[in-house]
PDB file of all heavy atoms in Angstrom:
ATOM      1  N   PRO A   1       2.071  -0.649 -15.786  1.00 95.00           N
ATOM      2  CA  PRO A   1       2.689  -1.639 -15.034  1.00 95.00           C
ATOM      3  C   PRO A   1       3.480  -1.106 -13.814  1.00 95.00           C
ATOM      4  O   PRO A   1       3.733  -1.862 -12.846  1.00 95.00           O
ATOM      5  CB  PRO A   1       3.734  -2.211 -16.058  1.00 95.00           C
ATOM      6  CG  PRO A   1       3.862  -1.290 -17.181  1.00 95.00           C
ATOM      7  CD  PRO A   1       2.495  -0.615 -17.221  1.00 95.00           C
ATOM      8  N   CYS A   2       3.810   0.300 -13.889  1.00 95.00           N
ATOM      9  CA  CYS A   2       4.613   0.785 -12.667  1.00 95.00           C
ATOM     10  C   CYS A   2       3.779   0.867 -11.402  1.00 95.00           C
ATOM     11  O   CYS A   2       4.329   0.789 -10.324  1.00 95.00           O
ATOM     12  CB  CYS A   2       5.069   2.154 -13.139  1.00 95.00           C
ATOM     13  SG  CYS A   2       3.884   3.257 -13.809  1.00 95.00           S
ATOM     14  N   ASN A   3       2.421   0.826 -11.526  1.00 95.00           N
ATOM     15  CA  ASN A   3       1.592   0.982 -10.356  1.00 95.00           C
ATOM     16  C   ASN A   3       0.852  -0.361 -10.018  1.00 95.00           C
ATOM     17  O   ASN A   3       0.410  -0.484  -8.774  1.00 95.00           O
ATOM     18  CB  ASN A   3       0.431   1.956 -10.605  1.00 95.00           C
ATOM     19  CG  ASN A   3       0.954   3.265 -11.324  1.00 95.00           C
ATOM     20  OD1 ASN A   3       1.802   3.939 -10.670  1.00 95.00           O
ATOM     21  ND2 ASN A   3       0.425   3.605 -12.434  1.00 95.00           N
ATOM     22  N   ILE A   4       0.933  -1.358 -10.792  1.00 95.00           N
ATOM     23  CA  ILE A   4       0.083  -2.513 -10.608  1.00 95.00           C
ATOM     24  C   ILE A   4       0.460  -3.423  -9.475  1.00 95.00           C
ATOM     25  O   ILE A   4      -0.360  -4.133  -8.835  1.00 95.00           O
ATOM     26  CB  ILE A   4       0.015  -3.345 -11.976  1.00 95.00           C
ATOM     27  CG1 ILE A   4      -1.307  -4.203 -12.100  1.00 95.00           C
ATOM     28  CG2 ILE A   4       1.257  -4.224 -12.151  1.00 95.00           C
ATOM     29  CD1 ILE A   4      -2.469  -3.379 -12.288  1.00 95.00           C
ATOM     30  N   ALA A   5       1.733  -3.446  -9.003  1.00 95.00           N
ATOM     31  CA  ALA A   5       2.121  -4.250  -7.867  1.00 95.00           C
ATOM     32  C   ALA A   5       2.036  -3.505  -6.512  1.00 95.00           C
ATOM     33  O   ALA A   5       2.326  -4.050  -5.458  1.00 95.00           O
ATOM     34  CB  ALA A   5       3.564  -4.645  -8.176  1.00 95.00           C
ATOM     35  N   LEU A   6       1.623  -2.298  -6.505  1.00 97.00           N
ATOM     36  CA  LEU A   6       1.663  -1.496  -5.204  1.00 97.00           C
ATOM     37  C   LEU A   6       0.696  -1.968  -4.196  1.00 97.00           C
ATOM     38  O   LEU A   6       0.800  -1.964  -3.106  1.00 97.00           O
ATOM     39  CB  LEU A   6       1.353   0.055  -5.521  1.00 97.00           C
ATOM     40  CG  LEU A   6       2.375   0.713  -6.422  1.00 97.00           C
ATOM     41  CD1 LEU A   6       1.943   2.208  -6.711  1.00 97.00           C
ATOM     42  CD2 LEU A   6       3.819   0.697  -5.741  1.00 97.00           C
ATOM     43  N   ASN A   7      -0.493  -2.485  -4.703  1.00 96.00           N
ATOM     44  CA  ASN A   7      -1.488  -2.941  -3.747  1.00 96.00           C
ATOM     45  C   ASN A   7      -1.002  -4.151  -3.019  1.00 96.00           C
ATOM     46  O   ASN A   7      -1.142  -4.269  -1.864  1.00 96.00           O
ATOM     47  CB  ASN A   7      -2.741  -3.252  -4.578  1.00 96.00           C
ATOM     48  CG  ASN A   7      -3.781  -3.889  -3.594  1.00 96.00           C
ATOM     49  OD1 ASN A   7      -4.007  -5.139  -3.580  1.00 96.00           O
ATOM     50  ND2 ASN A   7      -4.604  -3.031  -3.064  1.00 96.00           N
ATOM     51  N   ARG A   8      -0.297  -5.026  -3.765  1.00 95.00           N
ATOM     52  CA  ARG A   8       0.210  -6.276  -3.015  1.00 95.00           C
ATOM     53  C   ARG A   8       1.351  -5.844  -2.060  1.00 95.00           C
ATOM     54  O   ARG A   8       1.350  -6.412  -0.991  1.00 95.00           O
ATOM     55  CB  ARG A   8       0.910  -7.248  -4.127  1.00 95.00           C
ATOM     56  CG  ARG A   8       1.386  -8.568  -3.571  1.00 95.00           C
ATOM     57  CD  ARG A   8       2.522  -9.224  -4.416  1.00 95.00           C
ATOM     58  NE  ARG A   8       3.787  -8.586  -4.119  1.00 95.00           N
ATOM     59  CZ  ARG A   8       4.757  -8.345  -4.974  1.00 95.00           C
ATOM     60  NH1 ARG A   8       4.435  -8.396  -6.262  1.00 95.00           N
ATOM     61  NH2 ARG A   8       5.951  -7.902  -4.593  1.00 95.00           N
ATOM     62  N   GLN A   9       2.109  -4.964  -2.414  1.00 97.00           N
ATOM     63  CA  GLN A   9       3.253  -4.536  -1.547  1.00 97.00           C
ATOM     64  C   GLN A   9       2.724  -3.807  -0.332  1.00 97.00           C
ATOM     65  O   GLN A   9       3.305  -3.883   0.860  1.00 97.00           O
ATOM     66  CB  GLN A   9       4.275  -3.607  -2.365  1.00 97.00           C
ATOM     67  CG  GLN A   9       5.015  -4.451  -3.432  1.00 97.00           C
ATOM     68  CD  GLN A   9       5.909  -3.564  -4.152  1.00 97.00           C
ATOM     69  OE1 GLN A   9       6.553  -2.649  -3.658  1.00 97.00           O
ATOM     70  NE2 GLN A   9       6.117  -3.918  -5.455  1.00 97.00           N
ATOM     71  N   ALA A  10       1.478  -3.085  -0.358  1.00 98.00           N
ATOM     72  CA  ALA A  10       0.996  -2.289   0.618  1.00 98.00           C
ATOM     73  C   ALA A  10       0.447  -3.355   1.680  1.00 98.00           C
ATOM     74  O   ALA A  10       0.626  -2.909   2.980  1.00 98.00           O
ATOM     75  CB  ALA A  10      -0.222  -1.566   0.138  1.00 98.00           C
ATOM     76  N   GLN A  11       0.077  -4.528   1.420  1.00 98.00           N
ATOM     77  CA  GLN A  11      -0.300  -5.553   2.454  1.00 98.00           C
ATOM     78  C   GLN A  11       0.874  -5.852   3.355  1.00 98.00           C
ATOM     79  O   GLN A  11       0.697  -6.184   4.497  1.00 98.00           O
ATOM     80  CB  GLN A  11      -0.921  -6.786   1.734  1.00 98.00           C
ATOM     81  CG  GLN A  11      -2.059  -6.461   0.782  1.00 98.00           C
ATOM     82  CD  GLN A  11      -3.003  -5.329   1.134  1.00 98.00           C
ATOM     83  OE1 GLN A  11      -3.515  -5.410   2.221  1.00 98.00           O
ATOM     84  NE2 GLN A  11      -3.133  -4.351   0.251  1.00 98.00           N
ATOM     85  N   SER A  12       2.144  -5.969   2.643  1.00 98.00           N
ATOM     86  CA  SER A  12       3.233  -6.359   3.612  1.00 98.00           C
ATOM     87  C   SER A  12       3.572  -5.168   4.540  1.00 98.00           C
ATOM     88  O   SER A  12       4.019  -5.350   5.629  1.00 98.00           O
ATOM     89  CB  SER A  12       4.498  -6.685   2.696  1.00 98.00           C
ATOM     90  OG  SER A  12       4.823  -5.571   1.796  1.00 98.00           O
ATOM     91  N   VAL A  13       3.486  -3.965   4.033  1.00 98.00           N
ATOM     92  CA  VAL A  13       3.685  -2.695   4.854  1.00 98.00           C
ATOM     93  C   VAL A  13       2.674  -2.844   6.021  1.00 98.00           C
ATOM     94  O   VAL A  13       3.092  -2.567   7.242  1.00 98.00           O
ATOM     95  CB  VAL A  13       3.494  -1.483   4.046  1.00 98.00           C
ATOM     96  CG1 VAL A  13       3.538  -0.271   5.022  1.00 98.00           C
ATOM     97  CG2 VAL A  13       4.517  -1.276   3.024  1.00 98.00           C
ATOM     98  N   LYS A  14       1.478  -3.129   5.762  1.00 98.00           N
ATOM     99  CA  LYS A  14       0.463  -3.239   6.800  1.00 98.00           C
ATOM    100  C   LYS A  14       0.787  -4.275   7.858  1.00 98.00           C
ATOM    101  O   LYS A  14       0.625  -4.044   9.133  1.00 98.00           O
ATOM    102  CB  LYS A  14      -0.961  -3.417   6.286  1.00 98.00           C
ATOM    103  CG  LYS A  14      -1.552  -2.211   5.496  1.00 98.00           C
ATOM    104  CD  LYS A  14      -2.596  -2.586   4.469  1.00 98.00           C
ATOM    105  CE  LYS A  14      -3.849  -2.923   5.072  1.00 98.00           C
ATOM    106  NZ  LYS A  14      -4.924  -3.203   4.066  1.00 98.00           N
ATOM    107  N   MET A  15       1.300  -5.398   7.416  1.00 98.00           N
ATOM    108  CA  MET A  15       1.782  -6.434   8.375  1.00 98.00           C
ATOM    109  C   MET A  15       2.933  -5.824   9.277  1.00 98.00           C
ATOM    110  O   MET A  15       2.819  -6.103  10.422  1.00 98.00           O
ATOM    111  CB  MET A  15       2.281  -7.690   7.515  1.00 98.00           C
ATOM    112  CG  MET A  15       1.240  -8.480   6.872  1.00 98.00           C
ATOM    113  SD  MET A  15       1.829  -9.747   5.837  1.00 98.00           S
ATOM    114  CE  MET A  15       2.863 -10.646   6.917  1.00 98.00           C
ATOM    115  N   GLY A  16       3.774  -5.020   8.628  1.00 98.00           N
ATOM    116  CA  GLY A  16       4.871  -4.617   9.507  1.00 98.00           C
ATOM    117  C   GLY A  16       4.362  -3.594  10.520  1.00 98.00           C
ATOM    118  O   GLY A  16       4.842  -3.519  11.643  1.00 98.00           O
ATOM    119  N   VAL A  17       3.318  -2.707  10.060  1.00 98.00           N
ATOM    120  CA  VAL A  17       2.825  -1.811  11.074  1.00 98.00           C
ATOM    121  C   VAL A  17       2.158  -2.545  12.154  1.00 98.00           C
ATOM    122  O   VAL A  17       2.339  -2.157  13.424  1.00 98.00           O
ATOM    123  CB  VAL A  17       1.840  -0.805  10.348  1.00 98.00           C
ATOM    124  CG1 VAL A  17       1.067   0.035  11.401  1.00 98.00           C
ATOM    125  CG2 VAL A  17       2.498  -0.023   9.295  1.00 98.00           C
ATOM    126  N   LYS A  18       1.420  -3.524  11.892  1.00 98.00           N
ATOM    127  CA  LYS A  18       0.560  -4.240  12.987  1.00 98.00           C
ATOM    128  C   LYS A  18       1.539  -5.004  13.801  1.00 98.00           C
ATOM    129  O   LYS A  18       1.389  -5.066  15.029  1.00 98.00           O
ATOM    130  CB  LYS A  18      -0.348  -5.366  12.185  1.00 98.00           C
ATOM    131  CG  LYS A  18      -1.569  -4.747  11.470  1.00 98.00           C
ATOM    132  CD  LYS A  18      -2.392  -5.760  10.977  1.00 98.00           C
ATOM    133  CE  LYS A  18      -3.606  -5.208  10.302  1.00 98.00           C
ATOM    134  NZ  LYS A  18      -4.502  -6.253   9.715  1.00 98.00           N
ATOM    135  N   THR A  19       2.687  -5.634  13.242  1.00 97.00           N
ATOM    136  CA  THR A  19       3.673  -6.309  14.101  1.00 97.00           C
ATOM    137  C   THR A  19       4.285  -5.373  15.147  1.00 97.00           C
ATOM    138  O   THR A  19       4.561  -5.728  16.337  1.00 97.00           O
ATOM    139  CB  THR A  19       4.841  -6.788  13.181  1.00 97.00           C
ATOM    140  OG1 THR A  19       4.291  -7.804  12.320  1.00 97.00           O
ATOM    141  CG2 THR A  19       5.925  -7.521  14.034  1.00 97.00           C
ATOM    142  N   ALA A  20       4.382  -4.145  14.771  1.00 98.00           N
ATOM    143  CA  ALA A  20       5.004  -3.142  15.664  1.00 98.00           C
ATOM    144  C   ALA A  20       3.933  -2.393  16.421  1.00 98.00           C
ATOM    145  O   ALA A  20       4.154  -1.318  17.093  1.00 98.00           O
ATOM    146  CB  ALA A  20       5.864  -2.126  14.977  1.00 98.00           C
ATOM    147  N   ASN A  21       2.706  -2.876  16.517  1.00 97.00           N
ATOM    148  CA  ASN A  21       1.678  -2.307  17.365  1.00 97.00           C
ATOM    149  C   ASN A  21       1.150  -0.956  16.917  1.00 97.00           C
ATOM    150  O   ASN A  21       0.750  -0.193  17.725  1.00 97.00           O
ATOM    151  CB  ASN A  21       2.090  -2.364  18.853  1.00 97.00           C
ATOM    152  CG  ASN A  21       2.340  -3.552  19.501  1.00 97.00           C
ATOM    153  OD1 ASN A  21       1.689  -4.651  19.202  1.00 97.00           O
ATOM    154  ND2 ASN A  21       3.502  -3.633  20.295  1.00 97.00           N
ATOM    155  N   GLY A  22       0.986  -1.007  15.680  1.00 98.00           N
ATOM    156  CA  GLY A  22       0.216   0.223  15.004  1.00 98.00           C
ATOM    157  C   GLY A  22      -1.046  -0.323  14.271  1.00 98.00           C
ATOM    158  O   GLY A  22      -1.129  -1.518  14.049  1.00 98.00           O
ATOM    159  N   THR A  23      -1.814   0.597  13.987  1.00 98.00           N
ATOM    160  CA  THR A  23      -3.030   0.231  13.228  1.00 98.00           C
ATOM    161  C   THR A  23      -2.897   0.929  11.821  1.00 98.00           C
ATOM    162  O   THR A  23      -3.075   2.164  11.546  1.00 98.00           O
ATOM    163  CB  THR A  23      -4.308   0.787  13.928  1.00 98.00           C
ATOM    164  OG1 THR A  23      -4.352   0.175  15.222  1.00 98.00           O
ATOM    165  CG2 THR A  23      -5.467   0.451  13.131  1.00 98.00           C
ATOM    166  N   PRO A  24      -2.725   0.172  10.754  1.00 98.00           N
ATOM    167  CA  PRO A  24      -2.506   0.657   9.414  1.00 98.00           C
ATOM    168  C   PRO A  24      -3.954   1.048   8.827  1.00 98.00           C
ATOM    169  O   PRO A  24      -4.789   0.278   8.958  1.00 98.00           O
ATOM    170  CB  PRO A  24      -1.791  -0.397   8.671  1.00 98.00           C
ATOM    171  CG  PRO A  24      -2.343  -1.656   9.405  1.00 98.00           C
ATOM    172  CD  PRO A  24      -2.479  -1.305  10.737  1.00 98.00           C
ATOM    173  N   ARG A  25      -4.022   2.115   8.076  1.00 98.00           N
ATOM    174  CA  ARG A  25      -5.161   2.437   7.328  1.00 98.00           C
ATOM    175  C   ARG A  25      -4.817   2.871   5.829  1.00 98.00           C
ATOM    176  O   ARG A  25      -4.170   3.723   5.555  1.00 98.00           O
ATOM    177  CB  ARG A  25      -5.871   3.689   7.912  1.00 98.00           C
ATOM    178  CG  ARG A  25      -6.237   3.560   9.359  1.00 98.00           C
ATOM    179  CD  ARG A  25      -6.855   2.289   9.808  1.00 98.00           C
ATOM    180  NE  ARG A  25      -8.183   2.044   9.084  1.00 98.00           N
ATOM    181  CZ  ARG A  25      -8.606   0.846   9.012  1.00 98.00           C
ATOM    182  NH1 ARG A  25      -7.860  -0.278   9.277  1.00 98.00           N
ATOM    183  NH2 ARG A  25      -9.732   0.725   8.361  1.00 98.00           N
ATOM    184  N   GLU A  26      -5.098   1.845   5.010  1.00 98.00           N
ATOM    185  CA  GLU A  26      -4.686   1.963   3.495  1.00 98.00           C
ATOM    186  C   GLU A  26      -5.643   2.938   2.769  1.00 98.00           C
ATOM    187  O   GLU A  26      -6.801   3.009   2.934  1.00 98.00           O
ATOM    188  CB  GLU A  26      -4.648   0.667   2.883  1.00 98.00           C
ATOM    189  CG  GLU A  26      -4.207   0.510   1.431  1.00 98.00           C
ATOM    190  CD  GLU A  26      -4.269  -0.872   0.845  1.00 98.00           C
ATOM    191  OE1 GLU A  26      -4.595  -1.849   1.570  1.00 98.00           O
ATOM    192  OE2 GLU A  26      -3.984  -0.967  -0.312  1.00 98.00           O
ATOM    193  N   PHE A  27      -5.008   3.780   1.967  1.00 98.00           N
ATOM    194  CA  PHE A  27      -5.703   4.740   1.021  1.00 98.00           C
ATOM    195  C   PHE A  27      -5.035   4.804  -0.262  1.00 98.00           C
ATOM    196  O   PHE A  27      -3.716   4.585  -0.243  1.00 98.00           O
ATOM    197  CB  PHE A  27      -6.175   5.967   1.702  1.00 98.00           C
ATOM    198  CG  PHE A  27      -4.940   6.901   2.060  1.00 98.00           C
ATOM    199  CD1 PHE A  27      -4.560   7.931   1.138  1.00 98.00           C
ATOM    200  CD2 PHE A  27      -4.422   6.790   3.312  1.00 98.00           C
ATOM    201  CE1 PHE A  27      -3.596   8.631   1.453  1.00 98.00           C
ATOM    202  CE2 PHE A  27      -3.349   7.765   3.616  1.00 98.00           C
ATOM    203  CZ  PHE A  27      -2.927   8.646   2.732  1.00 98.00           C
ATOM    204  N   THR A  28      -5.547   5.188  -1.371  1.00 98.00           N
ATOM    205  CA  THR A  28      -4.986   5.347  -2.636  1.00 98.00           C
ATOM    206  C   THR A  28      -5.118   6.760  -3.086  1.00 98.00           C
ATOM    207  O   THR A  28      -6.076   7.572  -2.470  1.00 98.00           O
ATOM    208  CB  THR A  28      -5.560   4.497  -3.625  1.00 98.00           C
ATOM    209  OG1 THR A  28      -6.907   4.672  -3.830  1.00 98.00           O
ATOM    210  CG2 THR A  28      -5.358   2.977  -3.227  1.00 98.00           C
ATOM    211  N   THR A  29      -4.319   7.098  -4.032  1.00 98.00           N
ATOM    212  CA  THR A  29      -4.347   8.423  -4.750  1.00 98.00           C
ATOM    213  C   THR A  29      -4.116   8.214  -6.109  1.00 98.00           C
ATOM    214  O   THR A  29      -3.912   7.090  -6.557  1.00 98.00           O
ATOM    215  CB  THR A  29      -3.479   9.581  -4.062  1.00 98.00           C
ATOM    216  OG1 THR A  29      -3.741  10.717  -4.735  1.00 98.00           O
ATOM    217  CG2 THR A  29      -2.132   9.188  -4.242  1.00 98.00           C
ATOM    218  N   ILE A  30      -4.085   9.298  -6.898  1.00 97.00           N
ATOM    219  CA  ILE A  30      -4.043   9.151  -8.423  1.00 97.00           C
ATOM    220  C   ILE A  30      -2.556   8.911  -8.905  1.00 97.00           C
ATOM    221  O   ILE A  30      -1.701   9.031  -8.176  1.00 97.00           O
ATOM    222  CB  ILE A  30      -4.618  10.346  -9.125  1.00 97.00           C
ATOM    223  CG1 ILE A  30      -3.638  11.551  -8.913  1.00 97.00           C
ATOM    224  CG2 ILE A  30      -5.974  10.740  -8.563  1.00 97.00           C
ATOM    225  CD1 ILE A  30      -3.745  12.631  -9.885  1.00 97.00           C
ATOM    226  N   THR A  31      -2.480   8.440 -10.081  1.00 96.00           N
ATOM    227  CA  THR A  31      -1.235   8.499 -10.840  1.00 96.00           C
ATOM    228  C   THR A  31      -1.443   8.817 -12.272  1.00 96.00           C
ATOM    229  O   THR A  31      -2.562   8.266 -12.762  1.00 96.00           O
ATOM    230  CB  THR A  31      -0.429   7.224 -10.795  1.00 96.00           C
ATOM    231  OG1 THR A  31      -0.259   6.771  -9.426  1.00 96.00           O
ATOM    232  CG2 THR A  31       0.979   7.423 -11.434  1.00 96.00           C
ATOM    233  N   VAL A  32      -0.760   9.704 -12.847  1.00 96.00           N
ATOM    234  CA  VAL A  32      -0.750   9.815 -14.316  1.00 96.00           C
ATOM    235  C   VAL A  32       0.615   9.229 -14.783  1.00 96.00           C
ATOM    236  O   VAL A  32       1.620   9.643 -14.398  1.00 96.00           O
ATOM    237  CB  VAL A  32      -0.817  11.260 -14.856  1.00 96.00           C
ATOM    238  CG1 VAL A  32      -0.640  11.396 -16.250  1.00 96.00           C
ATOM    239  CG2 VAL A  32      -2.224  11.760 -14.326  1.00 96.00           C
ATOM    240  N   THR A  33       0.585   8.213 -15.562  1.00 92.00           N
ATOM    241  CA  THR A  33       1.747   7.467 -15.995  1.00 92.00           C
ATOM    242  C   THR A  33       2.328   8.043 -17.319  1.00 92.00           C
ATOM    243  O   THR A  33       1.613   8.010 -18.376  1.00 92.00           O
ATOM    244  CB  THR A  33       1.515   6.057 -16.142  1.00 92.00           C
ATOM    245  OG1 THR A  33       0.994   5.514 -14.965  1.00 92.00           O
ATOM    246  CG2 THR A  33       2.749   5.294 -16.607  1.00 92.00           C
ATOM    247  N   ASP A  34       3.592   8.525 -17.290  1.00 89.00           N
ATOM    248  CA  ASP A  34       4.098   9.305 -18.418  1.00 89.00           C
ATOM    249  C   ASP A  34       4.244   8.437 -19.628  1.00 89.00           C
ATOM    250  O   ASP A  34       4.082   8.940 -20.838  1.00 89.00           O
ATOM    251  CB  ASP A  34       5.554   9.760 -18.005  1.00 89.00           C
ATOM    252  CG  ASP A  34       5.442  10.914 -17.091  1.00 89.00           C
ATOM    253  OD1 ASP A  34       4.381  11.111 -16.555  1.00 89.00           O
ATOM    254  OD2 ASP A  34       6.470  11.648 -16.939  1.00 89.00           O
TER     255      ASP A  34
END
């Protein structure tokens, strides 16, 4: 559950980058959950 909401939140980050005239490029990496 610690990672499952990150994709949704990334979309809002991308909106902020675009609003400020940047070009967001989303990518993912691994997680091992303790």
